[in-house]
Amino acid sequence: MADVRTPKKPSPTTESEGPYRMGFTWGRALAIGAVVAMVIFWVWIFSGAPKRTNPDYLEDRDYAAALEDQCQGLRDQLDELPNAADMTTQAQRADVLDDANVLVGQFIDEVEAAAPTSGDAAVSMKGWIADWRTYLGDREDYAARLRTQDNAQLLLSRSKFGDSVDKTIQVFTQVNDIPACDTPGDVG
């Protein structure tokens, strides 16, 4: 008969047999490899190595500089018009806005005439010009409503990206470092 009062002593285990054994196992190798891979991945990300240029970035920097000069010319012309704060009636404001809209329309036509006709720059410029045309339409609508509605406000269309059209124009100017090409603040 077996003695039930005395517990059996466990057999002595060596370090190589226990759960804390040291040495090579496939599980440990995979865990170490995964940690090392994650560290390398994040170092690569934070180094900026995968950074790509924005698709709207104009590679021809001479063209971008010329474009900014055109934009500054528009701003200078708009600055010569009477200030909206000096207008006493909405109809007077609408008349000045009509003059400004003619200048904006001419600007858009000039930009379109000089825009690249092939490559990524042509695609980017086509979209940006379309945004400017939409913005001009919104300005013209505002001028018309100034004559018929009390307290009329400039209402901006949404771009295909969900933002107001002036935001997409602004993003293009920021990407290309041409701040003068942002929408003018003359509407007030």
Side-chain angles (χ1 to χ4, degrees):
M1 237 167 91
D3 189 6
V4 286
R5 292 177 286 166
T6 320
K8 265 188 163 181
K9 286 186 179 181
S11 63
T13 60
T14 63
E15 278 189 19
S16 63
E17 296 174 1
Y20 300 110
R21 67 182 174 192
M22 301 305 259
F24 176 80
T25 66
W26 285 106
R28 283 189 183 136
L30 287 174
I32 291 169
V35 168
V36 168
M38 284 189 281
V39 167
I40 291 171
F41 172 77
W42 285 110
V43 166
W44 178 66
I45 290 292
F46 288 124
S47 74
K51 188 182 286 187
R52 294 187 306 185
T53 58
N54 189 304
D56 282 339
Y57 183 76
L58 299 172
E59 296 292 333
D60 184 354
R61 299 316 299 162
D62 291 334
Y63 174 71
L67 185 58
E68 183 163 28
D69 289 342
Q70 279 183 287
C71 296
Q72 188 59 52
L74 171 64
R75 288 180 176 276
D76 293 343
Q77 289 176 325
L78 292 174
D79 286 344
E80 293 174 7
L81 295 174
N83 189 332
D86 297 335
M87 303 292 114
T88 57
T89 68
Q90 285 188 203
Q92 289 175 329
R93 177 66 188 122
D95 291 340
V96 173
L97 190 54
D98 285 340
D99 293 340
N101 288 343
V102 168
L103 295 174
V104 172
Q106 290 170 350
F107 161 77
I108 295 169
D109 292 341
E110 291 168 7
V111 168
E112 187 171 34
T117 57
S118 63
D120 292 340
V123 173
S124 295
M125 288 302 296
K126 183 178 178 182
W128 191 61
I129 291 167
D131 289 340
W132 267 98
R133 292 210 183 277
T134 302
Y135 176 70
L136 176 59
D138 293 343
R139 289 171 60 107
E140 291 169 341
D141 173 65
Y142 174 53
R145 285 185 295 105
L146 273 173
R147 291 185 172 86
T148 60
Q149 296 177 3
D150 291 336
N151 300 320
Q153 296 179 351
L154 175 64
L155 303 175
L156 296 174
S157 300
R158 295 247 175 238
S159 71
K160 64 182 178 181
F161 303 110
D163 287 329
S164 60
V165 73
D166 66 324
K167 294 295 181 201
T168 56
I169 292 170
Q170 181 183 42
V171 167
F172 184 88
T173 64
Q174 290 171 345
V175 165
N176 287 291
D177 195 27
I178 49 176
C181 293
D182 198 355
T183 54
D186 67 316
V187 176

